[in-house]
Amino acid sequence: MALGTTGESSTMTHEEDDAIAQCVLDTVAGRIPVIVGSGSNSTQTAIAKSKQYAQMGADGLLVVTPYYNKANDTGMIRHFESVADAVDIPITLYNIPGRTGCALAPKVVDRLSRHPNIGSIKEASGDIGYVAKIARYVSDGFALISGNDNMIVPLMSLGGTGVISVFANICPAICKDITNSWLTGDVERAKRLQLDYLTLIDALFIEVNPIPIKEAMNMLDMDVGGCRMPLCEMAEENRAKLRQAMEVLSCASR
């Protein structure tokens, strides 16, 4: 996944977006699928960016709800269908109302799930009741993906297939183990890992993402630097809580 929230795409120029996408695609070199974030509150911009990344070789696109504009249901449908019609690679709907101020109504998800070029939804509302409503539309052609690390197992219990994760930036093996354990039928292991790492996951969201995950990565000597303004360094008391959570739960398997 390139150009997501954790990558601070909201503070990058279009030229930087293109450079990051190209760097990731060149580095991966086809070894695994790459999803690139191409969403915008402007439909025209989302279409242009989607076409650009498709031409670069992206395998899929992540398209967020049109924030700030807060379109009605018809506008949401037209927005996503216009993007999906413009490219020949699958798009993932991104529902994160806490960030965008708007959400995809279940009936809108139902409609969009039938589009041949809309293959999944990244669901990050944190509302398990909402998840249950849209889980009815999961099919061979439409997948449900968790956008919240603290709800991987609950969402998968309703038909989800995995997670687009923040936590995986420091504990990828554990994150993979949670999802694979569920998918292979080891429900108890999946549940145990979800609960064992919940304290660390919660600490990674003690302040707005990606402030804590960048702090955590720097603590692990990954040297990812700080955040772009208006985001800044963590409050000292929160940094101490994050460090304590990381000391209790080992991330040596990263």
Side-chain angles (χ1 to χ4, degrees):
M1 175 71 222
L3 301 181
T5 304
T6 307
E8 295 191 83
S9 58
S10 59
T11 57
M12 294 199 296
T13 66
H14 293 318
E15 293 76 16
E16 287 174 323
D17 286 344
D18 293 349
I20 291 293
Q22 193 65 68
C23 178
V24 171
L25 289 164
D26 289 345
T27 301
V28 171
R31 289 173 293 176
I32 57 173
V34 174
I35 299 172
V36 180
S38 61
S40 172
N41 65 325
S42 162
T43 304
Q44 291 84 354
T45 301
I47 289 172
K49 291 169 78 71
S50 296
K51 286 182 174 178
Q52 173 75 7
Y53 302 142
Q55 291 171 357
M56 284 182 178
D59 299 282
L61 302 165
L62 182 68
V63 183
V64 71
T65 52
Y67 45 87
Y68 188 79
N69 303 31
K70 300 174 70 171
N72 62 19
D73 290 347
T74 300
M76 288 287 188
I77 289 168
R78 290 178 181 174
H79 175 81
F80 284 105
E81 288 186 340
S82 295
V83 176
D85 288 342
V87 294
D88 58 2
I89 56 175
I91 74 170
T92 296
L93 312 175
Y94 187 10
N95 187 56
I96 183 166
R99 285 271 190 175
T100 63
C102 58
L104 290 170
K107 65 180 180 180
V108 173
V109 177
D110 180 21
R111 165 71 176 267
L112 294 175
S113 70
R114 304 176 194 179
H115 192 290
N117 210 32
I118 296 177
S120 56
I121 180 170
K122 178 185 177 183
E123 163 35 33
S125 70
D127 182 349
I128 198 66
Y130 173 84
V131 173
K133 291 177 182 177
I134 65 170
R136 294 175 292 185
Y137 312 125
V138 170
S139 66
D140 290 342
F142 188 73
L144 174 61
I145 302 168
S146 180
N148 294 100
D149 287 311
N150 63 352
M151 290 181 63
I152 300 171
V153 170
L155 185 136
M156 294 184 77
S157 74
L158 289 168
T161 57
V163 59
I164 297 177
S165 173
V166 173
F167 170 64
N169 283 283
I170 56 170
C171 292
I174 297 299
C175 190
K176 179 181 178 182
D177 200 358
I178 293 172
T179 56
N180 281 0
S181 293
W182 181 273
L183 292 172
T184 57
D186 194 345
V187 174
E188 285 302 314
R189 179 172 178 79
K191 181 181 74 173
R192 178 174 59 78
L193 288 169
Q194 176 80 86
L195 296 177
D196 283 352
Y197 282 84
L198 192 58
T199 298
L200 177 55
I201 290 168
D202 287 346
L204 291 175
F205 294 91
I206 197 169
E207 292 191 17
V208 67
N209 182 50
I211 293 173
I213 189 62
K214 282 199 164 185
E215 290 280 358
M217 294 171 78
N218 284 326
M219 289 177 186
L220 294 172
D221 298 323
M222 295 185 187
D223 193 22
V224 297
C227 294
R228 289 189 173 186
M229 289 180 66
L231 302 185
C232 61
E233 64 277 2
M234 293 182 76
E236 282 301 325
E237 61 269 25
N238 288 335
R239 183 182 288 110
K241 291 176 183 177
L242 174 61
R243 187 178 296 279
Q244 182 179 19
M246 292 179 66
E247 289 173 352
V248 170
L249 300 174
S250 171
C251 291
S253 59
R254 72 182 186 278

